[in-house]
């Protein structure tokens, strides 16, 4: 029995007749399952001979009519689709970058029976010891690292980022080494008040990209990006007058 047949069978066993009737709309759950399977197949990136990396966050975009019909059962449907994706990933030796998330969203440009699937790879990010990062700590920092929706304050001398427990900032991305990079924060030029930021590759397997260029080490300016594995981080530096140099300060947490 194929994964789509198993999915249909499980779904039939887990829902009531009313639930089944709702799925007589133009968009059928099995169509969504097939589309999600194609999405990860087409997005798979080779990590090694036996492992391929696939997205873990999915947005299923539906017409207003289909979204209205399916929304009362979205939680059950998402659970079954998630289990289906796990089974398919195991069969294909796929590796997810983090927990699977499936969201159903309404889109006005879609007509009944039409849908879209969008995906992204978003790794889990945690500070050493699972310590939380407060809003106050972020606002007081002169340098902040943005990664996967989290803001992490950077203080001298800096932090080590990797997948292992010895890293100061842990990112659960299979493409990241246990100790991948070190971001260094220096006091900067006298009188400017601007910290200087640099990044060094710690001998990682897959290297790093700084502003799109593969380098061993580099200085990083305000708004500069660092990519390791499938994860992209942005360095933000606070202006000397105490005002944020960019918008978007807000809640943070690890």
């Amino acid at each position: 029995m194929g994964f789509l047949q198993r999915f249909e069978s499980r779904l039939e066993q887990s829902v009531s007749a009313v639930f089944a009737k709702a799925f007589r709309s133009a968009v059928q759950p099995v169509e969504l399952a097939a589309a999600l399977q194609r999405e990860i197949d087409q997005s798979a990136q080779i990590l090694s001979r036996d492992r391929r990396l696939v997205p873990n966050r999915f947005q299923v975009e539906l017409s207003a009519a289909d979204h209205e019909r399916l929304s009362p059962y979205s939680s059950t449907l998402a659970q079954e689709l998630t289990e289906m994706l796990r089974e398919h990933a195991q069969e294909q030796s796929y590796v997810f970058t983090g927990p699977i998330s499936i969201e159903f969203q309404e889109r006005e440009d879609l007509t009944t029976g039409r849908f879209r699937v969008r995906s992204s790879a978003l790794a889990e990010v945690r500070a050493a010891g699972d310590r939380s990062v407060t809003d106050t700590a972020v606002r007081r920092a002169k340098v902040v690292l943005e990664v996967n929706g989290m803001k992490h304050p950077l203080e001298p001398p800096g932090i080590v980022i990797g997948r292992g427990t010895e890293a100061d900032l842990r990112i659960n991305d299979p493409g990241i080494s246990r100790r991948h990079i070190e971001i260094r924060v220096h006091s900067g030029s006298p009188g400017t008040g601007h910290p200087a930021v640099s990044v060094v590759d710690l001998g990682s397997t897959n290297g790093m990209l700084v502003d799109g260029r593969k380098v061993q080490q580099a200085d990083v300016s305000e708004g500069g990006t660092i990519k390791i594995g499938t994860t992209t981080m942005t360095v933000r530096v606070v202006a000397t007058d105490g005002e944020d140099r960019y918008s978007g300060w807000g809640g943070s947490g690890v």
Side-chain angles (χ1 to χ4, degrees):
M1 181 183 293
F3 82 95
L4 290 177
Q5 291 173 310
R6 293 198 299 271
F7 166 75
E8 282 191 301
S9 177
R10 269 202 314 269
L11 193 61
E12 288 173 358
Q13 295 172 12
S14 65
V15 302
S16 66
V18 175
F19 185 20
K21 185 177 180 180
F23 286 148
R24 291 176 185 170
S25 60
V27 171
Q28 299 293 319
V30 69
E31 294 179 291
L32 302 180
L36 287 167
Q37 180 256 325
R38 287 194 301 271
E39 182 70 17
I40 63 172
D41 286 345
Q42 295 171 1
S43 303
Q45 301 179 35
I46 296 175
L47 287 177
S48 65
R49 185 177 63 180
D50 301 321
R51 295 198 310 161
R52 287 182 287 176
L53 187 68
V54 293
N56 63 313
R57 298 292 179 95
F58 303 91
Q59 292 83 43
V60 179
E61 300 179 351
L62 301 161
S63 70
D66 286 317
H67 187 270
E68 182 180 2
R69 289 187 181 100
L70 301 185
S71 59
Y73 319 102
S74 58
S75 178
T76 300
L77 181 56
Q79 291 175 5
E80 294 299 337
L81 289 169
T82 296
E83 184 60 29
M84 180 274 298
L85 286 177
R86 288 198 185 103
E87 291 180 4
H88 182 63
Q90 186 174 7
E91 292 176 1
Q92 301 298 322
S93 297
Y94 292 155
V95 178
F96 293 105
T97 56
I100 300 172
S101 171
I102 301 175
E103 297 180 24
F104 300 97
Q105 301 175 345
E106 180 181 331
R107 290 291 181 267
E108 294 182 357
D109 64 321
L110 293 174
T111 57
T112 302
R114 306 287 294 179
F115 66 91
R116 283 191 298 262
V117 173
R118 302 184 189 274
S119 66
S120 60
L122 198 61
E124 182 182 10
V125 181
R126 300 193 305 274
D130 292 332
R131 294 171 297 183
S132 62
V133 177
T134 65
D135 292 349
T136 301
V138 172
R139 288 183 177 278
R140 287 178 176 174
K142 292 186 177 180
V143 184
V144 172
L145 185 70
E146 293 182 342
V147 49
N148 289 358
M150 184 209 77
K151 298 181 178 69
H152 188 87
L154 296 178
E155 303 289 348
I159 61 172
V160 171
I161 299 176
R163 187 166 46 87
T165 56
E166 63 270 35
D168 301 308
L169 191 64
R170 297 177 60 190
I171 303 178
N172 186 29
D173 182 331
I176 294 178
S177 298
R178 296 184 64 82
R179 284 171 50 90
H180 200 113
I181 60 172
E182 181 179 4
I183 296 181
R184 298 172 179 173
V185 182
H186 317 273
S187 58
S189 303
T192 66
H194 288 190
V197 181
S198 61
V199 59
V200 178
D201 190 305
L202 298 177
S204 67
T205 300
N206 297 318
M208 69 174 178
L209 298 177
V210 177
D211 294 332
R213 296 185 301 111
K214 189 167 186 177
V215 293
Q216 183 66 32
Q217 60 182 22
D219 293 331
V220 187
S221 58
E222 151 64 20
T225 60
I226 304 167
K227 183 176 182 180
I228 55 177
T230 62
T231 302
T232 299
M233 297 163 275
T234 304
V235 172
R236 297 296 188 183
V237 181
V238 178
T240 55
D241 59 3
E243 296 296 326
D244 298 340
R245 187 170 289 183
Y246 71 106
S247 60
W249 290 99
S252 64
V254 180

